[in-house]
Every structure is written in structure tokens, then in C-alpha cells.
Amino acid sequence: MRDPQRRGERSPVARAKVFAAAVLGPLVTGYVVVAALFGLVTALASAAEVSVAGVLHAAGPGWLAAYQVPVTIAGRPLGVLPLLATAGVVAVIARAAANATGRLGHRDLGDALPLIAAVASAHAVAGLAIALFDNAATVRVEPLSAFAVPAVVAGVAAAGGVASRSDVAAAIRDYLDPLAVRGLRAGALGLAGLLAVGALVHTIGLVLASGTIRELFASNAPGFGSGAGMLLLSLGYLPNAVVGGLAFVTGPGFSIGSFSISAFTFDGGPVPGLPVLAGVPEHQAHWWPLLMLLPAAVGALLGWTLRRSEDSPLARLRIVGIAGALVGFGCVLLGTLAGGRLGGGAFDPVSIPVGLVSVAAFAWIAVPGGLVAWFAGPRARPEPAPEPEPAEEPEVEPELEAELDELDAELDEIAEELEEDLEDTGEDTGDDAEEPADEVDDEEDDEEDEPEPEESEEPPPTDGKPEEPS
């Protein structure tokens, strides 16, 4: 829901201005920056004719290239586009959307959806307009790509900016499983670690090839202006080279035309003469497989950070698995953006096997990370059975409870009276009932001493007549 305080601070006109600035600001800023860079490089180049119309005309396809829209130059496709420009565009759009969300007081996704849709639609219309009206004979852009790709890039960037300033991210976290949230955070950390490893390897290669870099500048970009243009071009493609270093360190490697390199194989061939590629080796070394210890160390370090995230080892393995899946998906996305067509000549195409890189990156995160998280963390202990709770006595109404108390008192009085009666009865009958033990014994002895009368065996004599009664 909207924040009423923030909503009340601005009038509808002021809110419309904030909305329009978030939608049109990145468009204008991006176009101006591209045109300024083109104008600067053209002005510094030796024997170059500077034309404002020409610079503005060339800035349109350059703006589309910053959004990863493939262009065709003199009939030659160019799909390998600088990732540094794309990262800058995404940052500008996300910041503008975040500022507008905060100033407009949007909190729910429903409030922010119109802003996201407006940003994506504006970029789609601008890209289509450049593709239809700014196409020249030498530089052409496919209208469908010019319409869809900027819309997707701008929409994703705006959604990220809105989520950072509203309750959308919190709502998503509440909707997801807590283990999934931890896994996604760990996956972002793991992907950053793999990119850092790729950057480290690429930087070491550039340092060791410092002499080659000087030769490339001297031969391919003589003079200050040409050297400045070559430097800007190399900086723009530096993230692409870092992604290539990541692919090399994880094992599968990359290829540029007929040139192919991995941790286990090497096929030589021509390489573009850009200083950013000066660190590409010219022959194979047998110790290259040892470089795969670096992504394994990233996975082990990630598992160490998750060792106390849960008491159950299976729960920790689930977190590591989710992190590895996110890393694999990120490698697919970055590998796809870093490669593409390169003029249809000897350097075409620049290819990164995104499937193999994705599987390898997942394995380097999941296997060492899972082992460390399993063995370094606590073990789950069985919880004791809960003790049965005592039954609660039923509640009794106060009136009924008073009656029960009276009955208990009456029963106690009756019991006391019965006890007193029993005691009185025992005292009255106790003396008469008792007899001296000696007298009883004597009477028993006398009864035993008296002889029993003997019965005569013969009847008294008679004379045969019955005795007459007297």
C-alpha cells in the first residue's frame, strides 16, 4: 500500500514529473553519453572529419549496441557487444526506478507495475524508432531485436530498482522457503567469486603480456586520439574477457574463430589485435589444469560460510545445491551475452560453450561446497520427546464452586460426628466384654476334668408287664 505521508507531500503534477523523469531520464542520458563518446573519439582521431549530424546519426546504433542489440556494419554482423556499456545502462535504469519508487511512495508491486511497464515500453519504442528511421546503408539493425531486447533489459533493470526501494523484495522472501533464500544469496556470492577468479587470471595474463600491449597500441592505434579510442574499446570489452577467463578457469574454455583454448586443449589461430586480448597465450602449458583449483577453492569457501547455516547436514546440502544452480544459470546468461558474431571473418564467431561452462561451474560450487558444509558443520541431534502436559482442571463457575465448598464442609462435620460416636461406643462396651483370661482358662479346665456318664449296657429288669403309672 502507498505511504500516505509521501503521497500527500506531492501534487499530481509533481508526481507526473517524477514518473516522466524515471521513464525518459535513462533514455536521454544513455543517448547523450554514447553521442559524447563517439564525438570525443572522432575529434581525437587524426585526419577525422567531425560532424554533429554524423555523430548523432551514429549514436543511435551505438545506443542499441549498449542494450546488446546485434548490428550489421557494412554487411558484416556484429553480435559481440561490450558488456561494460550494458552494465552501465542497467545501473542507470535501476537507480532511476529506485529513486522514483521512493519519491512516489510505492510499496506494493501493484503500485510499481505501471512504472516498470512504462520504462520497458519507452525503451521498446525508442529502439524500434532507431531501427526504422536511423538505419543507413552502412549500419543496419533488425527492427524486432531493436524493439524486444531493450524492453527486456530495461524492464529487468527497472524491476530490480523498484524491488530495492519497496516491499516487493520482502514479499518475495516471505513467499520463498528460507533455505531457498539462503541458497540464492550464496549463489550470488559464488558467482561473484568465480568472476573474481576469472578477472584474476585475466589480469595476471595482461601483466605478463605488458610488452605485447605496447606493441598493439603502437601498431594498431598510433597517435593519442586513436590510442584513446582503442583504450575505450578495450575497457568496454573487459567484462567479456573476464567471462572468457571464467570459462577457461572452470575447464571448458572459449574460442575465437579457429582459435580455441581450454584447460586441457589448445588450437592456435589468429586473435583480434585488441590490447584487452593481449594476455591470450600463444601455446599450451601443462600446468593449466592446476588453475581449476581456484574455482574449487571458491566452492569450498562457500561451503565454509554455510557450515553453520542449518543444524541438519541435508538442509545445508540443499542450500549449496540451490547456490550451484544459480551459479550455473548465471554462467549461461553471461556466456551468451559475452559471445556472438564478429564480422564473419577469421575471428567469427566468438563462442563460449555455455552448457559445459554451466555444468562445470555448478560442479565446482556444489561438490567442494557440499563436502565442506556436510563435514564442517554440526550434526543434527534427535530432539527429546515432549513431556505430556498436565491436564488442565475444568473451570468451575463461582456459584457452583461455593456450593461444593459448603458440601465439603458438611461432609467433614458428619465424618467427625461418626468418629466421635464410634469412640463413645467402644468405651461403653469394652469392660463388660472383656473377661479375665485366668477365669476363662479355669472354666475350660474344669469342663475337661468332669467324667462323662457311663451308659448301662443292659436295660433294667422287668416282669413282662408294663409298669403302670402310679
Side-chain angles (χ1 to χ4, degrees), residues 391-397 400-401 404:
E392 297 181 357
E393 297 182 358
E395 297 182 358
V396 183
E397 296 181 359
L400 183 59
E401 186 175 1
L404 291 175

Side-chain angles (χ1 to χ4, degrees), residues 414-431:
I414 295 172
E416 291 178 358
E417 292 177 358
L418 290 174
E419 290 178 0
E420 292 176 357
D421 293 342
L422 290 175
E423 291 177 359
D424 295 340
T425 306
E427 292 177 357
D428 294 341
T429 58
D431 296 339

